[in-house]
C-alpha cells in the first residue's frame, strides 16, 4: 500500500453518488401530486389547501402551459 503524509485521507468514493435525471419520472411524480391535491379539493374544498399544495398546482399549471406552446 501507499503511505500518505499525516492528516491525509483517501477520498470517500461512496459519498458522491450521481443522480440520473429522468424528466418523465419527474413529470409522473408531479402528476401524482396534482391528482392527490385535486382529490382533496373535491372532498374538502379549495380552502383546505396548504401553501405547498397551491405551489404544486401553480408549478403544474405553468409546465402544462409551456408544453402547449
Amino acid at each position: 500500500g501507499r503511505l500518505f503524509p499525516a492528516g491525509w485521507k483517501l477520498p470517500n468514493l461512496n459519498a458522491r453518488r450521481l443522480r440520473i435525471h429522468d424528466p418523465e419520472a419527474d413529470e409522473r411524480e408531479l402528476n401524482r401530486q396534482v391528482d392527490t391535491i385535486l382529490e382533496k379539493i373535491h372532498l374538502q374544498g379549495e380552502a383546505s389547501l396548504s401553501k405547498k399544495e397551491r405551489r404544486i398546482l401553480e408549478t403544474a399549471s405553468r409546465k402544462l402551459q409551456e408544453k402547449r406552446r
Side-chain angles (χ1 to χ4, degrees):
R2 291 186 160 170
L3 297 176
F4 292 96
W8 283 27
K9 295 181 181 179
L10 288 173
N12 184 354
L13 299 178
N14 292 329
R16 295 182 191 165
R17 298 203 182 255
L18 294 178
R19 233 179 101 196
I20 297 173
H21 178 67
D22 183 0
E24 290 178 8
D26 294 344
E27 186 175 344
R28 283 191 303 273
E29 175 60 19
L30 181 60
N31 288 338
R32 187 194 64 73
Q33 290 176 332
V34 168
D35 287 345
T36 302
I37 294 168
L38 292 176
E39 181 67 20
K40 181 177 180 181
I41 291 172
H42 175 72
L43 295 173
Q44 301 174 16
E46 186 179 346
S48 69
L49 297 182
S50 67
K51 288 181 183 180
K52 181 179 179 182
E53 290 167 329
R54 290 179 190 277
R55 275 195 308 270
I56 291 170
L57 289 178
E58 289 170 3
T59 299
S61 175
R62 218 174 305 112
K63 287 186 181 222
L64 184 60
Q65 288 174 0
E66 290 171 3
K67 199 179 218 183
R68 290 183 177 174
R69 288 183 189 170

